[in-house]
Amino acid sequence: MKVVPRSSKNGVAGVVEGALKVNLNAPPVDGAANEALRELIAHLCNLRKNDVTIISGHTSRLKRLYLSAISLDKAKQLLGIN
């Protein structure tokens, strides 16, 4: 997942170079962008925020997430990934 902080609005912007591109209006300061990412993905996948875990990339724009309580196919469908 490629995160773009300080965007004009939150949302999924498609797939870029094999990674899901997510725009966040939160700044990358004090974990604000990470929390906004967890909230957005949880909302889009109908999950609780606690069901979304950042596995790697806490200080990077490239991140790996773990979504519990949802299948990969269902997550892809809800996020608009083919």
Side-chain angles (χ1 to χ4, degrees):
M1 181 167 297
K2 181 173 181 158
V3 176
V4 181
R6 291 192 175 128
S7 296
S8 60
K9 60 182 179 177
N10 291 335
V12 175
V15 177
V16 176
E17 297 177 4
L20 184 67
K21 182 178 177 184
V22 178
N23 294 326
L24 300 172
N25 59 9
V29 179
D30 297 327
N34 288 340
E35 288 306 305
L37 174 64
R38 290 179 61 222
E39 289 173 8
L40 177 65
I41 298 301
H43 174 74
L44 294 174
C45 292
N46 301 316
L47 299 171
R48 295 176 300 133
K49 189 171 106 174
N50 289 339
D51 291 332
V52 179
T53 305
I54 298 175
I55 297 173
S56 66
H58 289 85
T59 59
S60 171
R61 289 184 182 213
L62 292 176
K63 301 183 184 301
R64 288 180 45 213
L65 301 181
Y66 174 74
L67 308 179
S68 60
I70 190 170
S71 70
L72 179 60
D73 290 335
K74 183 68 174 175
K76 285 182 174 183
Q77 177 188 7
L78 292 170
L79 295 172
I81 304 170
N82 293 331

